[in-house]
Amino acid sequence: MYVRAVEFGIFFELSTPWWPGAAGIERLVYDNALEQARLADELGFDVVWAVEHHFLEEYSHSSAPELFLTAIAATTTRVRVGHGAVICVPGINHPVRVAERAAVLDVISGGRLEFGTARSSTWTELGGFGIDPDSTKKTWDEFVRVLPGMWADGPFEFDGIGFSMPERNVIPKPLQKPHPPMWVTVTSPGTELDAADRGLGCLGVASAGFAEQERRTLEYHRRIQLCDPVGAVNEKVATLNYLHCHEDRAIGATKGLEILGLFRTVNAHLLSTREAYPTRAYQGNGLAHLVPTRIDPGDPGSGPPVPEGAAVGDPASIIRAVKHWESVGVDQINFLVNANEVLPQAEVLASLRMFAREVMPAFGKGA
Amino acid sequence: MPLTGTADVDALAQGRPTMPTLHTPPLALPGAEVVQVLYEMRRAGRETLVPPALHPTNPATLWVLAWHLPESPYGPFDAVHLRVGCRSGARTRGFVTVTALSGSPEAARHLADDWGFPVRPAEVAFGRRYDRVTLDVVADGRPVLAFEGVDPDPLGAQDLEYTASLNLAHTERGVRIVQVEARYEIHRAERLRPRNLTLDGAWWGNDLLRPAFPITASVAHADMKIPALRFVCRPDVPAHEGSEPLSTPRS
């Protein structure tokens, strides 16, 4: 069995309560997130991730994560900065610009960059940029194969499907050698195999429950042993979770469900590619979420159930959940700690402090 | 704040069907030709198109769902549903504004009485050529919808998704949103490039129903079944508060 000390991260979607004339709210969301990241650094969290999304009102106002992460890198010293996932579609990000921005972030952070890749799963985004959904898997594959080459010493040239370029030296080079750890966002079942085949870390943003996660993780680790790596192998499995830690289990669970319920509602507004555009290239509807426990998918009245393994409640219940995730091979658990500012910042910070004080030591972690 | 519908329920309910019962037996509709067309709409006013129980999509979407049915218990008929893309709770749905129906007055009556579809009589014409599919609806002596999708591209059956329709209707429980979960056993599916969609929004229920940007279209050959109703929903409160499961009818 593959076992490694579990890592803890915060996953920033920068979801934002939004209405016409909501001046100042985005500033508040960003300020609060930056404060959470600084506290995470002090408390001994391992990583903070920031997603890239476009046009996803309320769900995620994180359209320039490299800037947000630069601010974090400049005000922290230990926590790793997760640029993830970058949308690896040439019509949204040219691969050279992706390589350049990531390298700068690695340099500024002193070699603390984790680099996630994705291809966008909503028509809201792809349609906005005029992207053909049929093409994104091909171009993502091209991206992950060329980026290590661009980050390597010396010039790079490429003749591909999504883009081509003559010989140029892409600069600067990242501080980490041969390059920062690379990941792929996994929403649909099967993408973990794409990750394994390429030697990429598995950045799960949709949890499948303990049994399914264990099955997928075992298959991932089996398969990555046979991989044809695109660069340095990153054999880690991360999963997404919700966090609200409170001394009173019921209060912790209730607050956690507030985060989950609101995040799920704003998620539902969006138009997934799978729903809008029939294509073999999108087999899942995934955006970041925890798959609900078994409920009738036809029932519009079904509210947010407590997903299996959600880190909401008191420290003891959260320790149990984390140990379970650890036991099924998860290396890193990334937490959503608020959604649309439904919880006051003071409660979010208190939850993080209690988690660090009461939960992290059970896993040999903490400042 | 999260989007929600703002349509006035009383106004929306005027002229909607009255369903004698919510316990309609399942309906089999074999050999159907199903055309689905998806366009973006302008966002202005999108929340006014659906009742408070529902919330529109981002971006706002307009769905045309057309059934060419050579066989049914009521004889052959054609139906075109215009739907606003929406969510009921977290579930993907299409709120039906009008169903244009031709070919069988008995089918028109049953679709309204049994399932709550807001049926209006019309002349519906499907056209299929080698490289295109057309759909035309004429009502009150004038065209109210015309569509052309070109360059059919074969798909796997599992690549197509159809969402449940929501019909506002007068029921034994009062005005309710009736969830119709039609099932499609797909035998052949093709994606189409939507080239033209024109429609008369006012005829279909609201001037705001105007296609603004094409997304996609599809045509499928399928055996359809409309199972017994399982859920209705109060139109005036969010679905997680107003959803009402129906007891399974004894057959």
mmCIF file of all heavy atoms in Angstrom, chain A residues 234-258:
data_model
loop_
_atom_site.group_PDB
_atom_site.id
_atom_site.type_symbol
_atom_site.label_atom_id
_atom_site.label_comp_id
_atom_site.label_asym_id
_atom_site.label_seq_id
_atom_site.Cartn_x
_atom_site.Cartn_y
_atom_site.Cartn_z
ATOM 1 N N ASN A 234 5.339 13.309 -10.878
ATOM 2 C CA ASN A 234 4.712 13.742 -9.628
ATOM 3 C C ASN A 234 3.646 12.717 -9.293
ATOM 4 O O ASN A 234 2.584 12.700 -9.905
ATOM 5 C CB ASN A 234 4.084 15.131 -9.790
ATOM 6 C CG ASN A 234 3.324 15.565 -8.541
ATOM 7 O OD1 ASN A 234 3.612 15.115 -7.438
ATOM 8 N ND2 ASN A 234 2.359 16.454 -8.730
ATOM 9 N N GLU A 235 3.943 11.859 -8.335
ATOM 10 C CA GLU A 235 3.024 10.758 -8.047
ATOM 11 C C GLU A 235 2.227 11.050 -6.784
ATOM 12 O O GLU A 235 2.338 10.356 -5.779
ATOM 13 C CB GLU A 235 3.809 9.445 -7.890
ATOM 14 C CG GLU A 235 2.914 8.222 -7.855
ATOM 15 C CD GLU A 235 3.716 6.928 -7.683
ATOM 16 O OE1 GLU A 235 4.931 6.967 -7.818
ATOM 17 O OE2 GLU A 235 3.086 5.901 -7.401
ATOM 18 N N LYS A 236 1.433 12.095 -6.840
ATOM 19 C CA LYS A 236 0.617 12.447 -5.675
ATOM 20 C C LYS A 236 -0.846 12.494 -6.071
ATOM 21 O O LYS A 236 -1.189 12.867 -7.200
ATOM 22 C CB LYS A 236 1.025 13.810 -5.123
ATOM 23 C CG LYS A 236 2.263 13.799 -4.249
ATOM 24 C CD LYS A 236 2.445 15.163 -3.610
ATOM 25 C CE LYS A 236 3.720 15.237 -2.794
ATOM 26 N NZ LYS A 236 3.961 16.595 -2.287
ATOM 27 N N VAL A 237 -1.678 12.151 -5.106
ATOM 28 C CA VAL A 237 -3.128 12.223 -5.300
ATOM 29 C C VAL A 237 -3.689 13.226 -4.302
ATOM 30 O O VAL A 237 -3.510 13.084 -3.093
ATOM 31 C CB VAL A 237 -3.782 10.846 -5.077
ATOM 32 C CG1 VAL A 237 -5.299 10.953 -5.110
ATOM 33 C CG2 VAL A 237 -3.297 9.853 -6.120
ATOM 34 N N ALA A 238 -4.331 14.249 -4.837
ATOM 35 C CA ALA A 238 -4.975 15.250 -3.976
ATOM 36 C C ALA A 238 -6.476 15.155 -4.137
ATOM 37 O O ALA A 238 -6.984 14.758 -5.195
ATOM 38 C CB ALA A 238 -4.497 16.649 -4.356
ATOM 39 N N THR A 239 -7.194 15.521 -3.098
ATOM 40 C CA THR A 239 -8.644 15.534 -3.186
ATOM 41 C C THR A 239 -9.174 16.821 -2.581
ATOM 42 O O THR A 239 -8.489 17.495 -1.811
ATOM 43 C CB THR A 239 -9.255 14.306 -2.474
ATOM 44 O OG1 THR A 239 -10.653 14.247 -2.763
ATOM 45 C CG2 THR A 239 -9.067 14.382 -0.978
ATOM 46 N N LEU A 240 -10.394 17.155 -2.966
ATOM 47 C CA LEU A 240 -11.019 18.389 -2.491
ATOM 48 C C LEU A 240 -11.980 18.075 -1.354
ATOM 49 O O LEU A 240 -12.644 17.039 -1.365
ATOM 50 C CB LEU A 240 -11.779 19.056 -3.637
ATOM 51 C CG LEU A 240 -12.379 20.434 -3.321
ATOM 52 C CD1 LEU A 240 -11.291 21.489 -3.201
ATOM 53 C CD2 LEU A 240 -13.379 20.841 -4.389
ATOM 54 N N ASN A 241 -12.060 19.011 -0.416
ATOM 55 C CA ASN A 241 -12.954 18.808 0.712
ATOM 56 C C ASN A 241 -13.448 20.172 1.186
ATOM 57 O O ASN A 241 -13.004 21.206 0.692
ATOM 58 C CB ASN A 241 -12.207 18.079 1.833
ATOM 59 C CG ASN A 241 -13.129 17.249 2.710
ATOM 60 O OD1 ASN A 241 -14.209 17.693 3.074
ATOM 61 N ND2 ASN A 241 -12.702 16.043 3.048
ATOM 62 N N TYR A 242 -14.389 20.143 2.108
ATOM 63 C CA TYR A 242 -14.848 21.366 2.764
ATOM 64 C C TYR A 242 -14.347 21.321 4.192
ATOM 65 O O TYR A 242 -14.290 20.254 4.804
ATOM 66 C CB TYR A 242 -16.379 21.440 2.773
ATOM 67 C CG TYR A 242 -16.975 21.587 1.400
ATOM 68 C CD1 TYR A 242 -17.225 20.469 0.605
ATOM 69 C CD2 TYR A 242 -17.285 22.834 0.883
ATOM 70 C CE1 TYR A 242 -17.757 20.596 -0.656
ATOM 71 C CE2 TYR A 242 -17.829 22.975 -0.390
ATOM 72 C CZ TYR A 242 -18.061 21.852 -1.148
ATOM 73 O OH TYR A 242 -18.588 21.975 -2.407
ATOM 74 N N LEU A 243 -13.998 22.496 4.729
ATOM 75 C CA LEU A 243 -13.506 22.532 6.099
ATOM 76 C C LEU A 243 -14.282 23.549 6.917
ATOM 77 O O LEU A 243 -14.375 24.724 6.543
ATOM 78 C CB LEU A 243 -12.015 22.902 6.121
ATOM 79 C CG LEU A 243 -11.409 23.110 7.518
ATOM 80 C CD1 LEU A 243 -11.399 21.809 8.315
ATOM 81 C CD2 LEU A 243 -9.978 23.664 7.422
ATOM 82 N N HIS A 244 -14.869 23.065 8.005
ATOM 83 C CA HIS A 244 -15.220 23.975 9.078
ATOM 84 C C HIS A 244 -15.063 23.222 10.385
ATOM 85 O O HIS A 244 -15.763 22.253 10.650
ATOM 86 C CB HIS A 244 -16.619 24.577 8.957
ATOM 87 C CG HIS A 244 -16.740 25.786 9.842
ATOM 88 N ND1 HIS A 244 -16.221 27.009 9.477
ATOM 89 C CD2 HIS A 244 -17.237 25.947 11.086
ATOM 90 C CE1 HIS A 244 -16.409 27.877 10.458
ATOM 91 N NE2 HIS A 244 -17.027 27.266 11.444
ATOM 92 N N CYS A 245 -14.118 23.698 11.180
ATOM 93 C CA CYS A 245 -13.742 23.037 12.420
ATOM 94 C C CYS A 245 -14.212 23.886 13.597
ATOM 95 O O CYS A 245 -13.871 25.073 13.682
ATOM 96 C CB CYS A 245 -12.216 22.858 12.439
ATOM 97 S SG CYS A 245 -11.608 21.918 13.848
ATOM 98 N N HIS A 246 -14.997 23.282 14.472
ATOM 99 C CA HIS A 246 -15.562 24.013 15.607
ATOM 100 C C HIS A 246 -15.587 23.067 16.800
ATOM 101 O O HIS A 246 -15.756 21.854 16.630
ATOM 102 C CB HIS A 246 -16.977 24.483 15.262
ATOM 103 C CG HIS A 246 -17.531 25.506 16.203
ATOM 104 N ND1 HIS A 246 -18.098 25.167 17.412
ATOM 105 C CD2 HIS A 246 -17.596 26.858 16.111
ATOM 106 C CE1 HIS A 246 -18.493 26.270 18.025
ATOM 107 N NE2 HIS A 246 -18.207 27.317 17.262
ATOM 108 N N GLU A 247 -15.447 23.623 17.975
ATOM 109 C CA GLU A 247 -15.422 22.729 19.151
ATOM 110 C C GLU A 247 -16.747 21.983 19.311
ATOM 111 O O GLU A 247 -16.790 20.879 19.869
ATOM 112 C CB GLU A 247 -15.113 23.537 20.414
ATOM 113 C CG GLU A 247 -16.136 24.624 20.707
ATOM 114 C CD GLU A 247 -15.631 25.600 21.754
ATOM 115 O OE1 GLU A 247 -14.476 25.459 22.177
ATOM 116 O OE2 GLU A 247 -16.396 26.503 22.125
ATOM 117 N N ASP A 248 -17.824 22.586 18.838
ATOM 118 C CA ASP A 248 -19.136 21.931 18.873
ATOM 119 C C ASP A 248 -19.378 21.259 17.523
ATOM 120 O O ASP A 248 -19.461 21.931 16.487
ATOM 121 C CB ASP A 248 -20.215 22.976 19.155
ATOM 122 C CG ASP A 248 -21.608 22.351 19.287
ATOM 123 O OD1 ASP A 248 -21.996 21.586 18.375
ATOM 124 O OD2 ASP A 248 -22.288 22.627 20.284
ATOM 125 N N ARG A 249 -19.489 19.943 17.554
ATOM 126 C CA ARG A 249 -19.590 19.201 16.300
ATOM 127 C C ARG A 249 -20.776 19.673 15.442
ATOM 128 O O ARG A 249 -20.649 19.844 14.226
ATOM 129 C CB ARG A 249 -19.743 17.710 16.582
ATOM 130 C CG ARG A 249 -19.818 16.865 15.314
ATOM 131 C CD ARG A 249 -19.975 15.407 15.625
ATOM 132 N NE ARG A 249 -18.888 14.920 16.476
ATOM 133 C CZ ARG A 249 -18.775 13.666 16.893
ATOM 134 N NH1 ARG A 249 -19.689 12.774 16.558
ATOM 135 N NH2 ARG A 249 -17.779 13.294 17.649
ATOM 136 N N ALA A 250 -21.914 19.887 16.082
ATOM 137 C CA ALA A 250 -23.113 20.273 15.330
ATOM 138 C C ALA A 250 -22.924 21.630 14.664
ATOM 139 O O ALA A 250 -23.315 21.832 13.506
ATOM 140 C CB ALA A 250 -24.326 20.296 16.255
ATOM 141 N N ILE A 251 -22.328 22.554 15.393
ATOM 142 C CA ILE A 251 -22.104 23.876 14.803
ATOM 143 C C ILE A 251 -21.125 23.765 13.639
ATOM 144 O O ILE A 251 -21.332 24.340 12.566
ATOM 145 C CB ILE A 251 -21.575 24.862 15.872
ATOM 146 C CG1 ILE A 251 -22.666 25.139 16.908
ATOM 147 C CG2 ILE A 251 -21.108 26.175 15.219
ATOM 148 C CD1 ILE A 251 -22.206 25.990 18.087
ATOM 149 N N GLY A 252 -20.060 22.994 13.824
ATOM 150 C CA GLY A 252 -19.094 22.818 12.740
ATOM 151 C C GLY A 252 -19.741 22.235 11.498
ATOM 152 O O GLY A 252 -19.494 22.694 10.377
ATOM 153 N N ALA A 253 -20.602 21.229 11.714
ATOM 154 C CA ALA A 253 -21.264 20.590 10.568
ATOM 155 C C ALA A 253 -22.241 21.551 9.898
ATOM 156 O O ALA A 253 -22.319 21.636 8.665
ATOM 157 C CB ALA A 253 -21.993 19.333 11.030
ATOM 158 N N THR A 254 -22.984 22.297 10.714
ATOM 159 C CA THR A 254 -23.964 23.227 10.146
ATOM 160 C C THR A 254 -23.279 24.313 9.325
ATOM 161 O O THR A 254 -23.697 24.631 8.204
ATOM 162 C CB THR A 254 -24.791 23.871 11.282
ATOM 163 O OG1 THR A 254 -25.437 22.827 12.010
ATOM 164 C CG2 THR A 254 -25.828 24.831 10.721
ATOM 165 N N LYS A 255 -22.221 24.867 9.879
ATOM 166 C CA LYS A 255 -21.498 25.922 9.145
ATOM 167 C C LYS A 255 -20.867 25.347 7.876
ATOM 168 O O LYS A 255 -20.856 25.990 6.825
ATOM 169 C CB LYS A 255 -20.402 26.512 10.034
ATOM 170 C CG LYS A 255 -20.901 27.147 11.323
ATOM 171 C CD LYS A 255 -21.362 28.551 11.099
ATOM 172 C CE LYS A 255 -21.725 29.207 12.430
ATOM 173 N NZ LYS A 255 -22.281 30.561 12.243
ATOM 174 N N GLY A 256 -20.333 24.148 7.997
ATOM 175 C CA GLY A 256 -19.731 23.523 6.830
ATOM 176 C C GLY A 256 -20.751 23.297 5.719
ATOM 177 O O GLY A 256 -20.471 23.503 4.540
ATOM 178 N N LEU A 257 -21.952 22.907 6.128
ATOM 179 C CA LEU A 257 -23.002 22.684 5.130
ATOM 180 C C LEU A 257 -23.475 23.991 4.501
ATOM 181 O O LEU A 257 -23.939 24.005 3.363
ATOM 182 C CB LEU A 257 -24.181 21.949 5.760
ATOM 183 C CG LEU A 257 -23.961 20.454 5.984
ATOM 184 C CD1 LEU A 257 -25.197 19.823 6.593
ATOM 185 C CD2 LEU A 257 -23.612 19.756 4.672
ATOM 186 N N GLU A 258 -23.344 25.084 5.244
ATOM 187 C CA GLU A 258 -23.672 26.385 4.639
ATOM 188 C C GLU A 258 -22.723 26.666 3.485
ATOM 189 O O GLU A 258 -23.134 27.141 2.422
ATOM 190 C CB GLU A 258 -23.555 27.500 5.684
ATOM 191 C CG GLU A 258 -24.721 27.599 6.645
ATOM 192 C CD GLU A 258 -24.585 28.819 7.553
ATOM 193 O OE1 GLU A 258 -24.384 29.931 7.049
ATOM 194 O OE2 GLU A 258 -24.643 28.617 8.788
#
